[in-house]
Amino acid sequence: MRSAHFNKLQLYSLLTLRVFIGWYFLYEGLAKVYTPNWSAYGYLIDSKGFFAPLFIQMAENSMMLEVVNFVNVWGLTLVGLSLSLVLGLFTKAGYIGAILFLSMFYLSHPPLLFTEYIMPREGSYLWIDKNMIMLMAVVVLTLFSSPKIIGLDSLLFRKKTGRSSKKRK
């Protein structure tokens, strides 16, 4: 895909959205890295909705909780650091990671009618909350190849196509 398919405003808007989402993930991960004894236990045990039994089971199994904690801390950090979103390097993997995290967060704490959580929510939501909005934004980003034009993936992409075109000659 060539940059001619995007005007500058579109390209920089996609870049800005990717960087903002990357920053969000990076900050969430690092906040957990630097919080002594951070655990997902409280979040998981407070789960509601159809998948609540699964999340509560994760919280109550100490080995599973250790895995969940590790994946949360380092997964969020890596998705944010990006090796994917902020730097524009390995964006496909970052987008997949972001979609998985946001889906799990949404399924764990769905904004349903008459549902109250221990942790106060940022607002009053019905079915669509910030996790769902960010999830849809990441899905939209996956539909555009902007990292192949602007970001470290563009360097890898150019090298890859450069090698394959040399082989054809």
Side-chain angles (χ1 to χ4, degrees), residues 50-109:
F50 298 114
F51 296 96
L54 172 67
F55 293 111
I56 291 168
Q57 186 178 4
M58 288 179 187
E60 292 174 341
N61 180 319
S62 62
M63 284 180 39
M64 181 60 77
L65 183 59
E66 282 185 46
V67 170
V68 168
N69 289 340
F70 181 85
V71 168
N72 256 284
V73 169
W74 296 109
L76 290 170
T77 302
L78 287 175
V79 165
L81 252 187
S82 258
L83 302 174
S84 29
L85 301 175
V86 172
L87 300 175
L89 181 61
F90 305 126
T91 52
K92 294 276 186 197
Y95 291 151
I96 291 167
I99 288 168
L100 290 173
F101 274 113
L102 292 165
S103 296
M104 297 306 278
F105 296 154
Y106 182 85
L107 292 173
S108 175
H109 285 71

Side-chain angles (χ1 to χ4, degrees), residues 47-53 107-108 110 112 115 117:
S47 180
K48 306 281 192 285
F50 298 114
F51 296 96
L107 292 173
S108 175
L112 304 172
T115 304
Y117 295 99

Side-chain angles (χ1 to χ4, degrees), residues 111-144:
L112 304 172
L113 279 174
F114 311 113
T115 304
E116 291 189 28
Y117 295 99
I118 295 170
M119 298 297 291
R121 298 188 67 85
E122 295 171 350
S124 300
Y125 303 109
L126 178 59
W127 303 312
I128 298 174
D129 63 1
K130 72 175 184 179
N131 290 320
M132 181 57 69
I133 293 167
M134 196 176 316
L135 174 64
M136 289 297 103
V138 173
V139 168
V140 167
L141 285 170
T142 63
L143 300 176
F144 294 92

Side-chain angles (χ1 to χ4, degrees), residues 24-40 43 68-74 76-77 101 105:
Y24 174 82
F25 274 88
L26 178 60
Y27 183 80
E28 286 293 323
L30 290 177
K32 291 165 180 51
V33 167
Y34 292 110
T35 300
N37 302 316
W38 177 86
S39 177
Y43 188 81
V68 168
N69 289 340
F70 181 85
V71 168
N72 256 284
V73 169
W74 296 109
L76 290 170
T77 302
F101 274 113
F105 296 154

